[in-house]
Amino acid sequence: MVRVTTPLDPAAVIAEFIDAVAPYNPQPDAAPVAVIGVRTALGEDVFTLSDHVVRALCKALVSYRDPEDRGSCSGCGGRHLDENLHCRDCGQLHGILGQVIAEHARRVAAENDGPQ
């Protein structure tokens, strides 16, 4: 499935983040502690960051979870589970749902292989 997304301007996103977080800085006059440069096809920008903004940015990055992250496959440990918890690496269905479906499929196959 191909997803079409609106391109993001990373420099604009960082600027918006700084603008959203900076007003809550308990030491607004403190000297900057970091500089981040962003260069993309859309241009480049440099941002000076206070300790407060750096900490907020780090917390935001640490807490980010990709929407495609559905955990690890219980069979092979792969990290490519689709929306139905089907592992694209080994083909198994993941977790309890996968186990229930696999057991049901085995029962149906056994019933179909029986005397006719």
Side-chain angles (χ1 to χ4, degrees), residues 102-116:
E103 288 174 7
H104 178 72
R106 280 193 290 276
R107 280 194 307 270
V108 169
E111 290 170 7
N112 290 338
D113 288 342
Q116 296 184 3

Side-chain angles (χ1 to χ4, degrees), residues 50-102:
S50 69
D51 181 66
H52 180 75
V53 172
V54 168
R55 289 175 184 278
L57 181 59
C58 289
K59 287 179 182 178
L61 291 172
V62 166
S63 67
Y64 175 78
R65 294 296 176 257
D66 194 293
E68 295 297 317
D69 182 358
R70 295 178 185 92
S72 298
C73 174
S74 59
C76 71
R79 303 217 15 110
H80 300 107
L81 301 176
D82 68 14
E83 62 275 357
N84 297 312
L85 301 180
H86 181 256
C87 180
R88 292 176 281 187
D89 295 331
C90 71
Q92 290 187 11
L93 286 171
H94 173 69
I96 294 172
L97 175 61
Q99 183 179 1
V100 168
I101 292 171

